[in-house]
Amino acid sequence: EDQVTQSPEALRLQEGESSSLNCSYTVSGLRGLFWYRQDPGKGPEFLFTLYSAGEEKEKERLKATLTKKESFLHITAPKPEDSATYLCAVRSGYSSASKIIFGSGTRLSIRP
Amino acid sequence: DTGVSQDPRHKITKRGQNVTFRCDPISEHNRLYWYRQTLGQGPEFLTYFQNEAQLEKSRLLSDRFSAERPKGSFSTLEIQRTEQGDSAMYLCASSSSVAVGGENTGELFFGEGSRLTVL
């Protein structure tokens, strides 16, 4: 069965302290790996899509990378406004019209 | 377009009652998804539609849950005979299967969610 596992569950960093979040996945055929950001009481907000191993995407202080078994979300010199839950999701199967499943997320807290 | 809208935003009900949630997707989006999220967990897949066709439904979903998308526009999610374990945030998302500018990111656009509390 398809599975997405994120680690750590929670991460507290000092402002400016860089780190990485991990997403490992087991799917029957990867049709896209997604990163989302979710603020309390809100729906998830799209960040990146990665399709193949070796691919990288960047946006401001965030950089997402993908291997055949896992993805990393690197955060460089984070600011307090980067505090949120970061969700990883995958679309699996052999069609672009297949479901997307999410991991349980990493709660990131940045102290000023 | 103001994005994906969900109604009601909050619903408190007594155990055994039926509840219905409505989702209005972004108008040009042909795919619509329902997820359930509890505190500290990621969104759990419930079902999704492409146009009016329900393509997949979670095996974890009991027969008390049903979803429709008549005419491929808005969607409703009904929960019959609610139980306390149904208390959660119900999220709706929409997306397009059409590539824009040569790329389809597969991005899901989420609504703000409908929070259900079953007493």
Side-chain angles (χ1 to χ4, degrees):
Chain A
E1 185 173 325
D2 298 339
Q3 196 167 0
V4 180
T5 304
Q6 292 189 245
S7 62
E9 289 186 7
L11 182 62
R12 296 186 69 184
L13 299 173
Q14 198 70 34
E15 183 173 1
E17 181 186 0
S18 301
S19 188
S20 296
L21 313 182
N22 177 264
C23 170
S24 61
Y25 60 91
T26 306
V27 295
S28 54
L30 185 67
R31 302 277 304 182
L33 183 140
F34 309 90
W35 283 97
Y36 285 80
R37 168 189 170 128
Q38 187 173 27
D39 292 302
K42 304 268 189 178
E45 179 183 342
F46 174 78
L47 293 173
F48 305 109
T49 305
L50 301 166
Y51 287 105
S52 56
E55 190 174 357
E56 298 182 352
K57 292 276 180 70
E58 284 189 71
K59 180 180 180 180
E60 297 181 353
R61 295 176 291 282
L62 299 176
K63 179 180 178 180
T65 61
L66 181 65
T67 72
K68 288 186 178 180
K69 293 184 178 181
E70 57 191 349
S71 176
F72 293 93
L73 184 65
H74 308 276
I75 181 161
T76 302
K79 298 181 178 181
E81 54 261 41
D82 295 321
S83 297
T85 295
Y86 290 86
L87 296 164
C88 174
V90 297
R91 170 178 276 135
S92 64
Y94 300 97
S95 165
S96 63
S98 50
K99 68 183 182 184
I100 296 173
I101 59 171
F102 284 79
S104 57
T106 294
R107 293 186 305 280
L108 179 64
S109 176
I110 309 299
R111 299 189 300 271
Chain B
D1 197 335
T2 56
V4 178
S5 62
Q6 294 188 243
D7 183 71
R9 293 292 312 280
H10 303 275
K11 178 71 176 179
I12 300 173
T13 191
K14 292 182 179 179
R15 184 166 53 91
Q17 298 294 304
N18 298 344
V19 296
T20 300
F21 301 114
R22 176 181 170 122
C23 172
D24 287 273
I26 293 172
S27 57
E28 62 267 27
H29 285 179
N30 59 341
R31 292 177 178 168
L32 187 147
Y33 301 76
W34 285 100
Y35 289 87
R36 175 173 65 188
Q37 188 174 28
T38 53
L39 195 64
Q41 298 298 311
E44 176 190 8
F45 172 78
L46 296 179
T47 188
Y48 88 104
F49 296 83
Q50 179 151 309
N51 301 313
E52 65 275 10
Q54 187 173 22
L55 296 189
E56 191 165 352
K57 182 177 177 180
S58 170
R59 287 172 291 178
L60 301 175
L61 216 57
S62 76
D63 291 340
R64 296 185 297 107
F65 287 72
S66 63
E68 294 182 340
R69 192 183 183 198
K71 302 179 182 178
S73 55
F74 71 92
S75 176
T76 57
L77 176 69
E78 181 183 18
I79 308 173
Q80 296 181 327
R81 304 181 303 281
T82 53
E83 301 172 356
Q84 288 185 324
D86 297 331
S87 295
M89 176 74 84
Y90 289 84
L91 293 166
C92 176
S94 69
S95 72
S96 174
S97 62
V98 176
V100 177
E103 180 184 9
N104 187 336
T105 65
E107 174 182 356
L108 297 184
F109 292 80
F110 281 86
E112 298 283 275
S114 293
R115 181 168 296 284
L116 173 65
T117 301
V118 181
L119 301 176

